[in-house]
Amino acid sequence: MPALKIIKMSILRALCSRIRLFLDIVIDFIFSLYWECKNKKLPDLDEKHAFLADSAVSLAQRIKSKQLKSEDLVKAIIERIKQVNPILNAVVTERYEDALNEAREVDRLVSAGLSEQMAKKPFLGVPFTMKESQAWKGMPLTLGLWSRRNERAVEDSEAIIRLREAGAIPLAATNLPELLIWQETRNPVYGMTVNPQHTGRTPGGSSGAEAALTATYATSISLCSDVGGSTRMPAFYCGMFGHHPTANTTCMRGVLFREGNEDSMFCLGFISRHVEDLVPLTKIITAQKADKLNLDRKINLRNVKFYYLDSSSDCLVSPLRSEMTEAIMKVVENLRGNLKVEVQPYHHKGFDYMYRLWSYWMSKEPGNYFKLATNSEVELNAWTEMGKKLIGMSKHCLFLILRCLELRAFPQLDSVWAEKITQELKDDLANKLGDNGVLLMPSAPHAAPYHYSFYLRPYNFAYFGIVNALKHPATQVPLGTNSKGLPLGLQVLSTPYNDAVCLEVAKYLEKEFGGAIMPCAIKNKA
């Protein structure tokens, strides 16, 4: 390409970016006129329940050593849910009495003296919550669809079985978007979940309710899933940690009708206030594949290869706000100054097509999206459904209809091009990172957006989605707040089966940058 043409293209790209950034600011201003006055403060945590701030690992240790009763922990979380849920709308179904009975049984066993088998259960007596998309025997399994509002699961998902075997107690199921595909947590069955950092803003999707509970001390273990950022996005918007494991290492049986043996970019994961919970929890959901991840290997951060991505030319995605790039550069400066390591800039053209590559690989996922949307053998007619929506007759959210229209009406990507550029990006990352390297990359163009504003910026989750398309592991890390008090952060990406490197870097950043960002204080007795 001639030099003059390259210069012209660069100028045009810079001009388009500035125009797009200006439009984003206008969008934020317009939505703020309504949502700023809707912000509600969440109640602080009572000092008597301050232990809810502890990691799940430490809570289990205290239960085993008789310093804390499982029943008291479960009661405290139930009480906390009842305090915050009227504002958040996160919990949609529960089994509080059954959970309390199971907690009492744990306490009885501890009191009588733990057997060797019980002592090895890593999360003995610790309650957990999960998205309603996890099959939970006898409990609702609507997936957010009105047509499934009366459906109940007939068995437990594999993840629930494994968490139970690890001693954890299922407590409640939480809200989600229809069929898990949207950047907000809202559906016709249960309504909308809000962000505890600012209730006029989205907690993200599809695990937004799990992130909201974690951020308000209302759950100790938060089981999530991620096919386009559904674990990491809510973790980012709500100021928590979230880990997305290497693809095809977590068993998906019992989630969105999966059998568990599919080749997929859909993964289970966890949102947490503490990095130390993420390794043992990931071991549980990877089970026999945990050895592939080698999560216990010792990592010297001074030997890790660090790269950073601070921009993308994906024209479908909003430009990065300065606060996002500044957060990344603060981490780069910290690593260079404290660890004395080299941190190199990185770019590959694959990051200029993040949404398109995710969309291509999403089209290869198992299951018929149109049949799932109707809960029948009849496929959803997106055009008809849009007509019904316009006259208030549709029982679907607009985002699901638009997604179906996109799949039907938009031209499909050239498969040769999409697979070629994906493989080139994978190969380049493998060459640069190897088995002991990470890429520090943006989480999103900006902090948590106002509710419904995603309709005007539907592709902004692409920084998360490209990770799924690559089938790489990544950990979301909070990095303080912006001028409006909203969480900032970045993703730590590595190559397949090198989750341990992501998590070790996350652990370091947790110590250096303050960790999870809590919207609620622990109330001291006056």
Side-chain angles (χ1 to χ4, degrees), residues 131 175-177 180-186 192-196 198 201-212 229-238 271 447-451 454 461 464:
K131 276 191 296 193
N175 205 11
L176 69 177
L180 313 185
I181 304 293
W182 189 233
Q183 300 162 76
E184 293 200 63
T185 297
R186 183 175 65 252
M192 182 172 74
T193 301
V194 301
N195 190 326
H198 186 301
R201 296 176 183 265
T202 178
S206 59
S207 305
E210 285 299 319
S230 293
T231 297
R232 292 159 290 135
M233 181 199 309
F236 168 53
Y237 288 152
C238 294
I271 291 173
Y450 293 108
H451 295 295
F454 272 124
F461 73 96
F464 296 112

Side-chain angles (χ1 to χ4, degrees), residues 263-284:
D263 179 20
S264 173
M265 61 183 185
F266 195 18
C267 265
L268 299 179
F270 293 91
I271 291 173
S272 180
R273 293 181 293 273
H274 306 275
V275 175
E276 77 165 331
D277 286 338
L278 296 174
V279 166
L281 286 171
T282 302
K283 286 181 181 178
I284 291 168

Side-chain angles (χ1 to χ4, degrees), residues 99-325:
L100 284 168
N101 288 333
E102 290 175 19
R104 293 181 188 114
E105 178 61 16
V106 167
D107 292 334
R108 187 190 68 77
L109 291 171
V110 171
S111 179
L114 284 174
S115 64
E116 183 178 349
Q117 181 182 8
M118 293 295 289
K120 288 182 178 179
K121 292 180 180 292
F123 294 103
L124 183 67
V126 180
F128 69 95
T129 56
M130 73 217 85
K131 276 191 296 193
E132 193 247 39
S133 53
Q134 291 280 341
W136 187 7
K137 187 174 181 179
M139 305 299 276
L141 188 62
T142 72
L143 307 176
L145 294 167
W146 185 257
S147 59
R148 290 186 56 85
R149 64 192 181 280
N150 297 317
E151 298 285 347
R152 299 260 169 175
V154 297
E155 61 180 357
D156 286 345
S157 71
E158 185 66 23
I160 291 178
I161 292 171
R162 291 179 181 182
L163 280 167
R164 276 184 170 278
E165 289 174 349
I169 300 171
L171 182 67
T174 58
N175 205 11
L176 69 177
E178 287 180 280
L179 291 179
L180 313 185
I181 304 293
W182 189 233
Q183 300 162 76
E184 293 200 63
T185 297
R186 183 175 65 252
N187 64 69
V189 183
Y190 302 123
M192 182 172 74
T193 301
V194 301
N195 190 326
Q197 303 283 353
H198 186 301
T199 59
R201 296 176 183 265
T202 178
S206 59
S207 305
E210 285 299 319
L213 288 182
T214 304
T216 52
Y217 306 105
T219 186
S220 295
I221 298 174
S222 176
L223 174 62
C224 305
S225 57
D226 189 327
V227 75
S230 293
T231 297
R232 292 159 290 135
M233 181 199 309
F236 168 53
Y237 288 152
C238 294
M240 303 294 108
F241 293 91
H243 183 63
H244 169 73
T246 299
N248 295 316
T249 60
T250 64
C251 183
M252 302 302 297
R253 188 184 67 78
V255 186
L256 205 64
F257 307 111
R258 296 294 176 92
E259 295 295 326
N261 54 6
E262 300 90 346
D263 179 20
S264 173
M265 61 183 185
F266 195 18
C267 265
L268 299 179
F270 293 91
I271 291 173
S272 180
R273 293 181 293 273
H274 306 275
V275 175
E276 77 165 331
D277 286 338
L278 296 174
V279 166
L281 286 171
T282 302
K283 286 181 181 178
I284 291 168
I285 57 170
T286 51
Q288 65 269 24
K289 294 184 179 179
D291 289 345
K292 287 187 174 183
L293 302 183
N294 197 14
L295 289 166
D296 291 325
R297 72 175 169 125
K298 301 299 181 184
I299 296 166
N300 185 339
L301 289 181
R302 287 185 169 84
N303 296 330
V304 171
K305 291 177 282 187
F306 287 95
Y307 291 83
Y308 70 93
L309 174 75
D310 64 355
S311 64
S312 165
S313 296
D314 191 329
C315 63
L316 296 176
V317 179
S318 293
L320 285 171
R321 302 283 174 92
S322 59
E323 62 192 19
M324 297 299 297
T325 53

Side-chain angles (χ1 to χ4, degrees), residues 492-509:
V492 181
L493 173 144
S494 192
T495 47
Y497 307 109
N498 290 302
D499 299 50
V501 189
C502 296
L503 291 164
E504 189 64 29
V505 173
K507 186 176 180 180
Y508 171 80
L509 296 179

